């Protein structure tokens, strides 16, 4: 087992218009689609409010 700290979670939303991944670090949570920042959660992308 390694003593190295785990890498921080990053948002892996693909932004096709920019041609890159978001890679934000703030407020990232795990969803079925992967790690997402608040701007790229499934609800945010569908234009719905987040479920509390």
């Amino acid at each position: 087992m390694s003593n190295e700290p785990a890498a921080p979670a990053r948002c892996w939303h693909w932004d096709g218009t920019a041609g890159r991944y978001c890679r934000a670090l703030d407020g990232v949570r795990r969803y079925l689609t992967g790690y997402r920042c608040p701007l790229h959660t499934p609800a945010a992308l569908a234009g719905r409010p987040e479920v509390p």
Side-chain angles (χ1 to χ4, degrees):
M1 185 158 220
S2 174
N3 289 336
E4 295 179 27
R10 290 183 179 265
C11 178
W12 285 101
H13 172 77
W14 175 255
D15 183 355
T17 57
R20 64 178 181 87
Y21 289 99
C22 172
R23 294 189 146 181
L25 293 169
D26 295 330
V28 174
R29 291 179 39 200
R30 175 87 171 134
Y31 291 88
L32 289 175
T33 56
Y35 290 102
R36 298 292 186 256
C37 69
L39 294 176
H40 298 122
T41 64
L45 293 174
R48 297 186 315 261
E50 288 295 324
V51 177

